[in-house]
Amino acid sequence: MSSWSIQPADVQSVLNDVQTTAAELGEQLTEAKFQAVLDGLTWAAPLTGDVPAAVNAMLGDQMRHLTNISNRIQAGTVGVANAVIAYNNGQEDMAGSYQTQLLRSAESGDFTYFVQHGHKG
């Protein structure tokens, strides 16, 4: 007997909330908004000197962090959704595999496993 206790409707509700919040985050962190910040700094180049280059370097560094956050959000939602489907189909080993792949995808940003082996629809 499994020690898991999953309520699919509750999981789906949480995943929907996560996707909504992730979409809102993505809307706030667009390339256009970052470019507007840089454009705002360049108008007074004689006064601001190296500030635009420094801000651009900082934003470039932070983009890696934002990409990592995005990968983890996507991996979490895809991995959990697939794990719950597998569990509901009585495929507990596959549910565990999805959990393992969730972590790998979160770290690497490579979602090939889910494209090839994930549940469709």
Side-chain angles (χ1 to χ4, degrees), residues 52-73:
V55 171
N56 192 35
M58 186 269 314
L59 290 175
D61 182 56
Q62 292 306 310
M63 288 305 293
R64 287 191 298 269
H65 296 298
L66 293 173
T67 298
N68 286 334
I69 290 168
S70 176
N71 287 345
R72 282 162 172 69
I73 292 169

Side-chain angles (χ1 to χ4, degrees), residues 41-120:
L41 293 172
T42 58
W43 68 271
L47 297 174
T48 58
D50 294 327
V51 173
V55 171
N56 192 35
M58 186 269 314
L59 290 175
D61 182 56
Q62 292 306 310
M63 288 305 293
R64 287 191 298 269
H65 296 298
L66 293 173
T67 298
N68 286 334
I69 290 168
S70 176
N71 287 345
R72 282 162 172 69
I73 292 169
Q74 184 177 358
T77 55
V78 171
V80 168
N82 279 282
V84 169
I85 291 168
Y87 172 78
N88 285 334
N89 291 335
Q91 303 165 332
E92 291 184 26
D93 289 342
M94 195 65 201
S97 293
Y98 283 129
Q99 290 177 351
T100 301
Q101 292 301 323
L102 177 161
L103 297 173
R104 289 183 182 147
S105 294
E107 292 174 1
S108 69
D110 179 2
F111 293 88
T112 305
Y113 179 87
F114 292 104
V115 171
Q116 294 174 348
H117 304 288
H119 291 282
K120 309 293 188 244

Side-chain angles (χ1 to χ4, degrees), residues 8-53:
D10 293 342
V11 172
Q12 186 61 48
S13 176
V14 170
L15 292 177
N16 288 341
D17 290 346
V18 168
Q19 289 174 327
T20 299
T21 302
E24 291 169 358
L25 177 64
E27 290 169 5
Q28 296 303 313
L29 301 174
T30 65
E31 187 174 333
K33 287 188 179 185
F34 287 118
Q35 188 60 50
V37 169
L38 291 174
D39 291 346
L41 293 172
T42 58
W43 68 271
L47 297 174
T48 58
D50 294 327
V51 173

